[in-house]
């Protein structure tokens, strides 16, 4: 059990939980930076968590839900106030209603997660600040302390799993809810390098080809919300297939951390996908996560069945080889 102490201070209106781990601070930090790892321990075993958004940067936001044994869902969010890599992060921690909006009937807390090196590894001190004694007692009565202990008991297995989240693993996909998929890959470079590789037309022409035998023949990049994008690919001579283009609109941008955009195949009727891409520094490079929301589960499964993720992996390998290894 990693939790070594729990202190409820009724005068300061705080709950402080200290946990020690036999790993480096970097390894412990990454379990919170990477939503794939975080969701494996954030909820108690009976209420596993799914993170549909995780912008691990100042001003960013996380959104998640926990699913109970009877498929009941309980949602929550974090608003990141500060993030000092490898040292600490501070969030506003709140609940969401059935529609995913902040629930005004439930309390919002401020929580600080502090990381430090110890003789035996790393220590995490989590201090939650409450607005009132009633709020503190309400959360304690809801099982906050027991839930935290239960959730933390799962983190050792995540910390020991070095293979699943390693930098040499190919792009993977994970279904989130009914219409979403999260595609993730650790790329050997900084967030800024990878951001530029996705937004500089000259750099895109060097790696954004998709599967071998195809070429990027058209490229229009958006830099401000409201601008449109267009990427066109065509097969090389002797390769089967017809040219096609993806078009979209940039909705949000926060270089080099996050962007939100729509995307659809040119000339094909139907609603576009809603894409959220984030870049987060982790051990070995930068974690790229792309959460795609489709109009239906059927459309999502149809697109994934085309080998889309394999095509993306081919591009990411080329990105590392052609750009990041040379830098």
């Amino acid at each position: 059990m990693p939790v070594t102490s729990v202190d409820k201070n009724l005068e300061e209106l705080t709950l402080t939980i200290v946990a020690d781990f036999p790993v480096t601070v970097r390894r412990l930090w990454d379990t919170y930076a990477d939503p794939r790892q975080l969701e494996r321990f954030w909820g108690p075993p009976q209420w596993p968590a799914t993170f549909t958004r995780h912008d691990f940067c100042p001003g960013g936001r996380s959104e998640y839900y926990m699913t109970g044994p009877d498929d009941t869902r309980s949602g929550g969010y974090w608003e990141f106030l500060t993030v000092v890599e490898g040292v600490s992060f501070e969030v506003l921690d709140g609940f969401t209603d059935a529609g995913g909006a902040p629930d005004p009937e439930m309390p919002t807390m401020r929580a600080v997660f502090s990381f430090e090196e110890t003789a035996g590894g790393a220590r995490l001190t989590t201090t939650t600040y409450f607005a009132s004694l009633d709020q503190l007692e309400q959360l304690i009565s809801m099982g906050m302390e027991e839930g935290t202990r239960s959730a933390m008991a799962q983190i050792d297995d995540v910390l020991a799993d070095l293979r699943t989240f390693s930098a040499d693993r190919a792009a993977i996909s994970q279904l989130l809810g009914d219409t979403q998929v999260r595609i993730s890959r650790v790329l050997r470079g900084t967030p800024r390098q990878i951001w530029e590789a996705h937004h500089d037309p000259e750099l895109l022409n060097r790696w954004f080809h998709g599967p071998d035998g195809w070429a990027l023949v058209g490229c229009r990049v958006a830099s401000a919300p409201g601008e449109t994008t267009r990427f066109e690919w065509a097969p090389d001579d002797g390769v089967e297939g017809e040219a096609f283009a993806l078009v979209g609109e940039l909705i949000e941008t926060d270089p080099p951390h996050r962007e939100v955009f729509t995307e659809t195949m040119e000339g094909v009727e139907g609603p576009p996908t809603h894409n959220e891409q984030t870049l987060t520094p982790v051990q070995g490079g930068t974690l790229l996560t792309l959460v795609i929301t489709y109009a239906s589960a059927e459309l999502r499964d149809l697109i994934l069945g085309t080998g889309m993720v394999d095509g993306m992996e081919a591009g990411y390998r080329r990105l590392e080889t052609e750009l990041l290894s040379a830098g």
Side-chain angles (χ1 to χ4, degrees):
M1 175 71 79
V3 174
T4 55
S5 70
V6 177
D7 176 45
K8 294 185 285 287
N9 190 320
L10 301 185
E11 293 184 356
E12 297 293 332
L13 300 178
T14 60
L15 175 66
T16 302
I17 299 175
V18 178
D20 288 286
F21 306 88
V23 297
T24 64
V25 168
R26 174 80 257 182
R27 179 71 191 95
L28 181 60
W29 176 270
D30 283 353
T31 63
Y32 285 85
D34 184 344
R36 305 170 302 172
Q37 300 183 53
L38 180 58
E39 63 190 12
R40 284 177 51 176
F41 69 87
W42 183 247
Q46 302 83 4
W47 286 79
T50 300
F51 277 75
T52 57
R53 176 175 175 176
H54 192 54
D55 313 330
F56 198 62
C57 61
R61 182 180 177 89
S62 284
E63 297 172 355
Y64 67 91
Y65 61 86
M66 296 184 292
T67 306
D70 60 353
D71 289 332
T72 300
R73 287 188 177 183
S74 175
Y77 69 93
W78 290 348
E79 292 181 3
F80 288 92
L81 303 177
T82 63
V83 178
V84 181
E85 187 175 357
V87 178
S88 67
F89 65 91
E90 181 179 354
V91 300
L92 291 180
D93 183 0
F95 296 83
T96 55
D97 57 25
D103 189 343
E105 302 299 321
M106 295 296 290
T108 300
M109 298 79 68
R110 183 170 63 90
V112 178
F113 297 74
S114 300
F115 299 73
E116 60 181 310
E117 183 180 353
T118 65
R123 171 171 295 165
L124 169 62
T125 301
T126 305
T127 304
T128 303
Y129 297 83
F130 300 87
S132 66
L133 182 59
D134 288 344
Q135 188 184 86
L136 188 156
E137 292 177 339
Q138 178 186 5
L139 270 296
I140 294 297
S141 68
M142 291 172 60
M144 181 177 180
E145 179 181 342
E146 293 79 4
T148 300
R149 286 181 177 274
S150 179
M152 285 295 236
Q154 306 169 95
I155 197 171
D156 285 335
D157 289 339
V158 180
L159 291 170
D161 187 354
L162 301 179
R163 174 60 188 150
T164 301
F165 313 108
S166 67
D168 61 357
R169 186 171 185 187
I172 59 174
S173 62
Q174 178 184 352
L175 302 184
L176 305 177
D178 296 329
T179 60
Q180 290 182 315
V181 63
R182 179 172 62 212
I183 299 166
S184 55
R185 171 72 142 81
V186 176
L187 295 166
R188 294 181 179 86
T190 66
R192 175 59 66 180
Q193 287 175 316
I194 296 165
W195 181 275
E196 294 297 334
H198 280 80
H199 295 84
D200 184 326
E202 181 179 346
L203 298 180
L204 282 163
N205 281 323
R206 294 172 58 185
W207 73 272
F208 199 43
H209 303 166
D212 292 338
W214 286 75
L216 181 67
V217 297
C219 178
R220 183 173 70 237
V221 180
S223 59
E227 294 182 355
T228 59
T229 60
R230 185 179 187 275
F231 301 99
E232 182 180 358
W233 293 268
D236 296 337
D237 292 340
V239 176
E240 294 186 3
E242 297 182 358
F244 70 95
L246 294 177
V247 295
E249 178 181 340
L250 183 61
I251 300 174
E252 299 177 24
T253 181
D254 181 20
H257 304 295
R258 165 182 164 87
E259 64 179 341
V260 182
F261 55 97
T262 64
E263 195 169 67
T264 189
M265 186 173 290
E266 190 174 63
V268 176
E269 294 185 2
T273 61
H274 181 271
N275 302 351
E276 301 181 42
Q277 181 164 287
T278 59
L279 302 175
T280 306
V282 295
Q283 177 93 33
T286 295
L287 172 65
L288 180 150
T289 59
L290 176 63
V291 176
I292 307 174
T293 303
Y294 294 86
S296 67
E298 292 76 17
L299 180 59
R300 178 195 63 189
D301 296 342
L302 176 65
I303 298 300
L304 290 177
T306 65
M308 179 185 75
V309 179
D310 291 339
M312 294 175 68
E313 171 58 22
Y316 293 146
R317 289 197 303 268
R318 194 178 296 112
L319 168 58
E320 288 190 320
T321 301
E322 297 295 326
L323 297 181
L324 301 179
S325 63

